[in-house]
Amino acid sequence: MTYKPKISGQKEAIFSNDVVSRFELYNSLFLTLPFYKIKDTGTLLPLFIKHCEDGVKQHQNPTEIINSFFEKFSKTEDTKDGIDLLFRFIQYIERQVVLFDAVEDASFNKLNTPDDQSSLHSYLSKGIDNRLLQTKVEALIEEFSLRLVLTAHPTQFYPGSVLSIITDLTAALKVNDISTINQLLQQLGKTPFFNKKSPSPVDEALSLAWFMENVFYFAAANIQKDIDETLAEFNIPSKKVIELGFWPGGDRDGNPNVHADSTLQVAKLLRQILFRCYYRDFRNLKRRITFRGVEDTIARIQDVLYKNAFDSNIESENLNEDLIAQLEEIRNTLITSHDGLFVDVVDDLIRKVNLYGCHFASLDIRQDSRVLRKAYTYCLDRTTEPDPLTVDTISTIAEIKQIQQSNGELACHRFIISNCQRASDILQLTDLFLFNGWTEEDLSMDFVPLFETVDDLAVAGEIMETLYTHPFYKRHLERRGNKQDIMLGFSDSTKDGGYLMANWSIFNAKVALTEVSNRHNIQLAFFDGRGGPPARGGGKTHRFYASMGKEIANKNIQLTIQGQTISSQYGSIASAEFNIEQLINAGISAGIREKHNILLDPLHKEVLDTMARDSYNAYVSLRQDPLFLSYLEKFSPLTLLSKITISSRPVKRNSGKKLELEDLRAISFVTSWSQLKQNIPGFYGIGTALKNQEEQGNWDKVHKTYQESGYFKTIIENCMMSMSKTDFSITAHFAEDPEFGGFWKMLHAEYELSKAMLLKLADQQSLMENYPVEKRSIAVREKIVLPLVLIQHYAMAMLQQQPGEEEQQAYEKLAIRTVYGIVNAGRNLA
C-alpha cells in the first residue's frame, strides 16, 4: 500500500521521454489549432516566449521586454491591439498548463511504482512470526483513521467542464490516441476557463463535488477494498479507515456570503450526488443479478435510490442501515442459492454505503470565536437586535440537528472555532447549542478549537487542560467516546511568525496537547489545516506524518486539501489512490515504530528553539517594515485579487476598511508573494537562523539535527521546494526603484543567504537535488508561465502610470487574468 520511486536515473528518463518530449510534441500541434478569436497567435507565441527568456537574461524590465516585442514582431501601434494580443497569449499559455498537467498525469503510473515494504500487508506478514508485532498492528488498525477534508479556499480555478476535458485528455494521452487528443485540444481552446461572476458558496460546493463524484467516490472505496481484503487474509475484522470532510457551505469564517440556507443546500447537494453515484452502481448490479429470489429486494432498492437521486422534493431520512440490510439480504441469497455469483458486485456497493452513508462527506461548520462570543452575549439577554452573523449562528445550530436527522449524525457533527484563544470560547459555544434546542444528553456534536497564531499555539495545552477538567465538558467528552479533535492552522501561523517559527510552534503545541490529552485519557486527533504550498503547511505531506514521534498523537490523521492541490494530487483516481495510500502508510509505519522524536532531546531542542526565535525575529522585523504591505500592494496583484471571480470569500476580513496585515487572508498573502516569484512566507528568516548558528560555532549541532530528524529534514525539503519556485531575476529591476530598491535588496539577500545555507546543510549543489523529476517538472512549469509573470508585471507597471479609465480597466483585467495560469502551473503555489 505504499509507493517508492524507481531509481533516480530511470525516473528521469521516463519523465524526459514520456512527459517533456510528448508535451513538446502535442504543444506544437496545439499551436496550430484554429481557436476562437485567435489569429496568428500560435505563430507569435513561440517568438514571444523566446523574447521573454532573453529579456530576463539581459536584465530588462517587463515593460522594456514587452514594448520591444511589439516593435520587433507585431508592429502593434494601438494600445488596445497590444493588450488584445497579450490576452490571446494568456489564453494559449493557460491551456499549455492544462496540456502539461494532462501529459504528466498520463505518465503517473510509470513514475510511481509500488513498494510493499511499509504497507499494512507487509507489517501483518511480519507479524505471523512475531506475536508482539501482530498485536501492535491489530491495536493500531482498531484506532487508525484518515480524514481528508476538501475546503472552499479559492485556488481551484477549473470549472467542471474543463476538469472533464482534462480527464478525457489524460486518458487519450495514455494510449496516444492522436485523433481524440486533437479534438479535445480544440474543445479546450473553445471552452471558457472562468466564470463571469463570483460563485456562491453553493456554486463552490458544486465545483468540488465534481471531485467527490468522479474521483473520491471510487478512490476511497478501492483503497478500503484493499484494506478489507488484507485484513480478511489475516482473519482481522474489517475496519473503516477513510473518512471524507467538506467545508464549502459550512465554513463561514470571514465569509459573509455563507448563510444557514447555504449549509442546508450543500448538505442536500452532497446527499443527492451520492445517491446518483449509488444509483449508477446499482444499475450495473441489477444488470448482472437477474436471478430468482432477489427480485423484490432489488425493486425496493431501485425505487429508494432513484427517488433520492433525482427527486429534489423527497423528504430526506437516514437510510444507511436499511440500505445495507437489503444489500446484505441480496448477498446472502447469492451465496446460499446462486454459488456466490456476482457477490463481489454487491460487496462493492455495501462497502461504499458503509463508507459514505447518506452524507458522502461530513460537512464541517466553522466560525470565528469573536462572532460566537457576540452570539453568546445576545442569547444571554436577547434585549437587543441581533446582527446578521448572530442570526446565522443561531439558525445554523438549529439546522445541524435537521441535517443529522435526514443524512445521519456523521453528515454534520463538528463545529470548528477559529481564532480560539481561551477555554470559554468552547464552553460558550456548547452553551449556545443548549440555548437553542439541544440538550446535554443529545448534544451529538464535536467542538474543535482551531489554534493559529504563535501566541495561541503556545497556550493551547493550558486551554485544553481547563476544558478536560471542566465538569460539563468532561461529561460531554465521555458521551463522545473520550475523543477530541484539535485543529492547528499553518497558514495564519506562518503569516504571523514566519515559516520556521510556524512549524516549530505547531510541533511544540502538538507535543503539549498530546501530553495533556494522554494524562486525561483522551484520544486526540490533530486536524491539520494544511494548504498547497510549504508556506501554508503543504509540500511533502506524507513525510510530515511519517516523521512524527511517539510524543505526538498520530493515529487519526486529519488534514485539509484545498485549491489546486485537489486537482494536482487528487485529480484522478490513480493519483488520489496513490496519495491517500501514502498518507495511510505514513500513519501506520509511524504508529508501528513509535520512535522517540529526537527533536525533544536537549541538544536538538535547543538548536530548534534558537533557530526558530532567530527566524521569527528576522521575519517580524520584515513584517514591521513600513514598506512591507505597500510593496505588496504596488508590485503584486494583491489589491486586484478581490476582482477575481473564483471565490465567494472576500480577500480580507473587515472588508471596506484600510488593509491591515492581521485582516489579510493568508491565502491572499501567500498568493501575492508567489505571483512576484518571491515566495517570502516559505523561507524568509531561515537563512538568518542558520547563519547565526554557524557563526556561533554550532554548525555541527545543526547538521546533526538535520541528519537525525525526519521532521526537521521535511521542513528543510519543503522550504527548498518553495525556493525552487522563486526567481528574483524577474524582479531585479526593482533594485533601482527609488522607494523600494532597498527593500527588494533585503528580500533578495535573505533568499541568497537561505539558499546557500540550506544547500550547505543538505550537502547539495542545487535545490531539490534529491528530487530530480520534481525539480524538472517545476522548471518546465516555470518556463511555461514566465511570459504570464512578465505580462502581469507589465500591467502593474502601466497601472502605476495612472492611465485613463478605459485603459486602467484593461490593464487591471490583464493583470488579474495572469493570476490563474501562474497559480495553476505552480500546483501548490497558493
Side-chain angles (χ1 to χ4, degrees):
M1 282 179 54
T2 191
Y3 289 80
K4 182 176 69 176
K6 294 183 179 181
I7 60 173
S8 181
Q10 289 178 317
K11 285 191 69 179
E12 286 182 87
I14 292 171
F15 188 83
S16 180
N17 294 328
D18 277 45
V19 178
V20 178
S21 296
R22 288 210 297 165
F23 168 71
E24 292 172 351
L25 171 66
Y26 291 120
N27 187 44
S28 62
L29 168 67
F30 195 46
L31 290 172
T32 66
L33 295 177
F35 292 155
Y36 178 61
K37 287 188 178 179
I38 297 181
K39 182 181 179 183
D40 300 328
T41 312
T43 304
L44 288 173
L45 181 58
L47 297 174
F48 182 64
I49 293 171
K50 182 68 165 56
H51 192 78
C52 288
E53 293 172 353
D54 291 344
V56 171
K57 290 177 183 176
Q58 294 166 16
H59 306 295
Q60 293 179 315
N61 67 51
T63 303
E64 292 171 336
I65 292 170
I66 289 175
N67 285 339
S68 63
F69 174 80
F70 287 152
E71 293 171 6
K72 186 174 182 180
F73 295 104
S74 73
K75 308 301 180 185
T76 300
E77 296 180 2
D78 184 80
T79 300
K80 185 177 184 301
D81 290 341
I83 292 175
D84 286 345
L85 179 60
L86 294 177
F87 268 116
R88 296 202 297 272
F89 286 159
I90 293 171
Q91 285 180 280
Y92 255 115
I93 294 169
E94 287 169 345
R95 286 158 175 80
Q96 285 180 317
V97 172
V98 170
L99 176 60
F100 187 77
D101 283 349
V103 173
E104 195 169 41
D105 291 345
S107 300
F108 185 88
N109 289 333
K110 293 183 180 180
L111 291 167
N112 299 277
T113 52
D115 169 31
D116 294 327
Q117 296 307 305
S118 60
S119 68
L120 174 61
H121 191 279
S122 173
Y123 282 118
L124 287 170
S125 297
K126 295 172 184 175
I128 293 175
D129 300 317
N130 185 337
R131 181 59 190 168
L132 184 62
L133 176 61
Q134 183 178 358
T135 301
K136 197 171 187 178
V137 175
E138 290 183 13
L140 178 61
I141 292 169
E142 183 63 30
E143 293 183 305
F144 183 79
S145 65
L146 168 67
R147 179 185 290 231
L148 299 174
V149 182
L150 280 70
T151 76
H153 291 297
T155 52
Q156 171 50 59
F157 298 140
Y158 299 138
S161 56
V162 174
L163 290 170
S164 297
I165 295 172
I166 294 173
T167 300
D168 295 341
L169 182 59
T170 301
L173 286 164
K174 286 181 179 179
V175 294
N176 288 317
D177 183 348
I178 302 295
S179 176
T180 300
I181 292 168
N182 189 304
Q183 289 181 326
L184 290 170
L185 289 177
Q186 291 189 60
Q187 182 185 0
L188 188 67
K190 293 175 178 289
T191 302
F193 268 38
F194 316 109
N195 302 314
K196 291 185 177 180
K197 62 178 183 177
S198 296
S200 69
V202 177
D203 293 332
E204 290 175 327
L206 190 59
S207 176
L208 283 187
W210 187 94
F211 293 95
M212 297 291 294
E213 179 179 3
N214 294 284
V215 179
F216 287 97
Y217 178 76
F218 299 102
N222 291 344
I223 293 172
Q224 186 65 50
K225 178 184 178 183
D226 289 343
I227 292 171
D228 290 345
E229 290 176 349
T230 296
L231 296 178
E233 181 181 341
F234 294 92
N235 298 313
I236 300 173
S238 176
K239 167 68 166 58
K240 177 182 173 181
V241 170
I242 303 168
E243 302 168 353
L244 298 177
F246 206 73
W247 272 21
D251 179 15
R252 57 244 303 132
D253 176 20
N255 190 347
N257 298 308
V258 179
H259 305 294
D261 62 331
S262 310
T263 304
L264 266 185
Q265 286 184 60
V266 171
K268 291 178 179 178
L269 172 73
L270 286 172
R271 177 192 174 93
Q272 190 167 40
I273 289 174
L274 174 63
F275 273 89
R276 288 177 184 174
C277 292
Y278 287 160
Y279 185 72
R280 180 179 58 203
D281 280 355
F282 181 78
R283 289 180 62 186
N284 293 330
L285 181 152
K286 183 182 177 183
R287 182 177 296 179
R288 292 289 166 262
I289 301 174
T290 53
F291 320 134
R292 295 189 184 278
V294 297
E295 304 97 321
D296 292 344
T297 310
I298 283 183
R300 286 197 303 272
I301 295 175
Q302 176 168 315
D303 183 62
V304 168
L305 294 182
Y306 184 85
K307 287 179 178 177
N308 281 273
F310 301 105
D311 185 354
S312 299
N313 297 317
I314 192 171
E315 186 173 338
S316 299
E317 57 180 315
N318 186 9
L319 304 169
N320 188 38
E321 291 184 4
D322 185 56
L323 273 176
I324 291 176
Q326 294 192 63
L327 288 168
E328 290 283 3
E329 184 180 321
I330 295 174
R331 185 182 191 279
N332 292 335
T333 302
L334 293 181
I335 291 173
T336 57
S337 304
H338 301 289
D339 303 316
L341 187 60
F342 297 127
V343 74
D344 59 320
V345 180
V346 183
D347 284 342
D348 178 67
L349 189 50
I350 291 174
R351 183 179 300 108
K352 287 169 178 169
V353 176
N354 274 319
L355 274 177
Y356 311 123
C358 292
H359 61 282
F360 214 160
S362 294
L363 185 59
D364 285 345
I365 308 298
R366 184 173 74 135
Q367 184 55 282
D368 189 277
S369 62
R370 290 162 290 192
V371 174
L372 299 175
R373 289 171 201 159
K374 287 183 69 175
Y376 176 79
T377 301
Y378 165 77
C379 287
L380 284 180
D381 57 30
R382 299 183 187 262
T383 57
T384 59
E385 282 295 315
D387 63 21
L389 291 177
T390 294
V391 172
D392 174 73
T393 299
I394 295 171
S395 300
T396 301
I397 286 172
E399 284 184 351
I400 292 173
K401 182 174 288 188
Q402 180 182 339
I403 293 171
Q404 288 190 357
Q405 289 171 348
S406 61
N407 292 8
E409 181 183 313
L410 291 178
C412 188
H413 67 97
R414 298 204 308 182
F415 202 120
I416 301 164
I417 304 93
S418 57
N419 192 39
C420 185
Q421 298 177 323
R422 52 202 188 211
S424 60
D425 286 334
I426 301 286
L427 297 173
Q428 288 181 357
L429 179 57
T430 63
D431 281 344
L432 276 173
F433 273 77
L434 299 181
F435 292 160
N436 292 282
W438 297 69
T439 66
E440 181 176 343
E441 290 71 26
D442 74 353
L443 192 51
S444 52
M445 289 296 299
D446 298 309
F447 300 100
V448 184
L450 167 52
F451 302 111
E452 299 176 89
T453 68
V454 171
D455 289 341
D456 292 344
L457 288 164
V459 297
E462 298 172 24
I463 291 173
M464 296 314 298
E465 173 74 31
T466 301
L467 284 170
Y468 291 154
T469 55
H470 188 279
F472 172 85
Y473 199 74
K474 186 175 182 180
R475 291 196 304 272
H476 175 69
L477 284 182
E478 288 172 354
R479 283 190 295 271
R480 302 298 291 167
N482 279 325
K483 296 179 179 180
Q484 175 69 55
D485 295 354
I486 296 176
M487 188 173 183
L488 302 174
F490 280 78
S491 300
D492 283 303
S493 55
T494 304
K495 180 166 73 81
D496 179 51
Y499 177 74
L500 185 57
M501 176 57 89
N503 278 278
W504 188 233
S505 296
I506 289 171
F507 176 87
N508 286 320
K510 284 191 169 186
V511 172
L513 289 166
T514 300
E515 190 277 328
V516 70
S517 298
N518 288 342
R519 188 154 31 86
H520 290 278
N521 296 314
I522 302 297
Q523 184 178 331
L524 175 61
F526 287 118
F527 177 24
D528 291 309
R530 303 176 64 82
R536 293 200 295 118
K540 302 179 186 305
T541 306
H542 64 288
R543 295 182 186 276
F544 168 84
Y545 286 109
S547 66
M548 297 293 104
K550 64 181 180 180
E551 294 83 5
I552 293 178
N554 201 35
K555 294 177 182 176
N556 305 102
I557 294 176
Q558 302 182 14
L559 69 155
T560 57
I561 51 174
Q562 52 194 271
Q564 74 279 23
T565 303
I566 298 174
S567 57
S568 65
Q569 296 185 11
Y570 301 90
S572 68
I573 295 173
S575 62
E577 288 182 12
F578 170 77
N579 285 293
I580 293 171
E581 286 177 349
Q582 278 198 313
L583 288 169
I584 291 174
N585 287 341
I588 289 176
S589 61
I592 296 300
R593 291 195 304 269
E594 284 195 324
K595 290 182 178 178
H596 166 69
N597 197 310
I598 60 100
L599 288 183
L600 295 172
D601 294 341
L603 170 68
H604 303 292
K605 189 175 188 308
E606 181 185 4
V607 167
L608 264 294
D609 280 339
T610 304
M611 284 184 58
R613 185 175 63 252
D614 289 351
S615 175
Y616 176 76
N617 290 337
Y619 176 79
V620 169
S621 176
L622 174 72
R623 198 183 68 185
Q624 292 175 344
D625 190 299
L627 296 179
F628 185 70
L629 267 186
S630 54
Y631 177 87
L632 269 185
E633 288 181 292
K634 179 176 181 178
F635 293 120
S636 84
L638 173 62
T639 57
L640 301 176
L641 292 180
S642 61
K643 299 182 180 182
I644 294 181
T645 57
I646 60 166
S647 173
S648 68
R649 182 186 299 272
V651 169
K652 66 185 183 73
R653 297 173 175 87
N654 296 322
S655 296
K657 296 183 179 180
K658 180 185 175 183
L659 179 64
E660 300 286 348
L661 183 62
E662 289 71 24
D663 294 330
L664 183 62
R665 290 196 165 277
I667 191 169
S668 305
F669 179 70
V670 172
T671 299
S672 298
W673 285 112
S674 72
Q675 297 293 303
L676 284 169
K677 289 298 168 190
Q678 292 176 0
N679 293 331
I680 294 301
F683 73 84
Y684 198 91
I686 201 165
T688 295
L690 287 167
K691 186 64 177 178
N692 288 352
Q693 289 297 300
E694 181 184 53
E695 291 177 348
Q696 292 166 19
N698 295 331
W699 188 254
D700 288 343
K701 291 182 182 179
V702 178
H703 195 263
K704 180 180 176 65
T705 302
Y706 174 80
Q707 292 293 333
E708 294 183 355
S709 170
Y711 183 87
F712 185 47
K713 186 171 289 187
T714 299
I715 291 175
I716 296 300
E717 289 178 347
N718 284 340
C719 186
M720 286 183 167
M721 179 194 295
S722 187
M723 296 183 72
S724 295
K725 299 176 183 180
T726 298
D727 186 355
F728 274 86
S729 66
I730 295 173
T731 54
H733 59 285
F734 289 3
E736 307 305 320
D737 188 276
E739 182 179 5
F740 294 98
F743 187 82
W744 181 89
K745 290 175 183 176
M746 181 171 62
L747 300 179
H748 182 236
E750 181 65 22
Y751 169 80
E752 292 295 342
L753 177 63
S754 297
K755 180 179 177 181
M757 300 308 297
L758 287 174
L759 292 177
K760 180 176 181 179
L761 180 65
D763 299 315
Q764 296 178 19
Q765 299 301 310
S766 62
L767 296 172
M768 295 187 71
E769 185 178 295
N770 292 341
Y771 300 94
V773 170
E774 292 175 340
K775 179 180 178 179
R776 181 86 183 278
S777 176
I778 289 171
V780 173
R781 291 172 178 280
E782 293 300 303
K783 182 177 180 179
I784 291 172
V785 298
L786 175 62
L788 292 186
V789 178
L790 294 177
I791 291 172
Q792 182 184 108
H793 289 310
Y794 165 76
M796 295 301 296
M798 298 307 291
L799 286 170
Q800 294 296 323
Q801 297 180 15
Q802 298 182 329
E805 184 178 347
E806 186 176 344
E807 286 189 5
Q808 178 176 331
Q809 291 179 356
Y811 285 124
E812 284 185 356
K813 186 177 178 183
L814 195 65
I816 289 168
R817 189 60 183 273
T818 60
V819 172
Y820 303 99
I822 295 170
V823 171
N824 284 334
R827 284 206 157 184
N828 65 351
L829 271 179

